[in-house]
Amino acid sequence: MLETMLMTHSILIKAFLGFLVLGLFLPFVAKSPLGFKKASFIFTMVFQALITMIAFAGMIALVSGNMDFTLSIIIMVIVFAIMMVLEITKHKRIKKADTQDEATLKALRAGFVKTNIINIVILVAMVVLMILKAKGVVSL
């Protein structure tokens, strides 16, 4: 059971990473300001769904596997919170902004890409940390 939940957790993380990479192209694909706003909303909803599935699978593995609440799990919770705050902040900025103004739209698109890059870097750093932990290089 524990192995299955950890495998599900791992697969969801890989799918999430792929989703984030594909999300980098969203500002360039959505041509109209309204299209960008709608695509950003859909991206945010899928983002939140995927990251919540990852957290849920991790919690189920933690509880069903009688795992200890270690530093690495605390780091995962912090990473979850940081990524959610970044995404919600990005979504609120895009939702409230006047996308008809060309300069604002350009800034929003740049912010969208920057936030996605930050989320990718955070996620990749966490994956590398967990790989190093599994190989015994880092002890958390």
Side-chain angles (χ1 to χ4, degrees):
M1 172 80 171
L2 179 62
E3 294 83 20
T4 305
M5 286 311 301
L6 291 176
M7 183 181 69
T8 303
H9 188 69
S10 175
I11 290 169
L12 285 169
I13 289 171
K14 291 172 185 147
F16 185 56
L17 185 58
F19 172 75
L20 289 176
V21 170
L22 287 175
L24 289 173
F25 301 106
L26 188 133
F28 308 110
V29 173
K31 301 290 183 198
S32 70
L34 184 60
F36 174 67
K37 204 175 233 187
K38 286 181 179 180
S40 171
F41 175 73
I42 292 168
F43 179 87
T44 298
M45 295 305 113
V46 174
F47 177 98
Q48 291 176 346
L50 283 171
I51 200 166
T52 303
M53 283 188 273
I54 291 168
F56 185 73
M59 286 189 317
I60 296 298
L62 176 73
V63 172
S64 67
N66 291 328
M67 298 168 66
D68 295 328
F69 202 72
T70 61
L71 181 60
S72 61
I73 293 173
I74 293 170
I75 292 170
M76 285 184 233
V77 171
I78 292 169
V79 164
F80 170 81
I82 290 170
M83 291 178 77
M84 281 296 258
V85 166
L86 286 172
E87 186 64 26
I88 291 168
T89 304
K90 175 181 76 174
H91 174 68
K92 283 187 176 182
R93 282 189 185 142
I94 292 171
K95 183 179 178 183
K96 292 180 181 179
D98 176 25
T99 54
Q100 298 303 322
D101 180 36
E102 191 63 38
T104 304
L105 184 61
K106 187 176 180 180
L108 289 173
R109 288 181 179 192
F112 189 96
V113 172
K114 287 177 189 174
T115 304
N116 269 8
I117 290 172
I118 291 169
N119 280 333
I120 290 169
V121 168
I122 290 170
L123 189 61
V124 168
M126 192 66 210
V127 169
V128 168
L129 180 67
M130 295 312 291
I131 289 171
L132 292 175
K133 179 185 173 200
K135 291 190 176 197
V137 176
V138 176
S139 61
L140 292 176

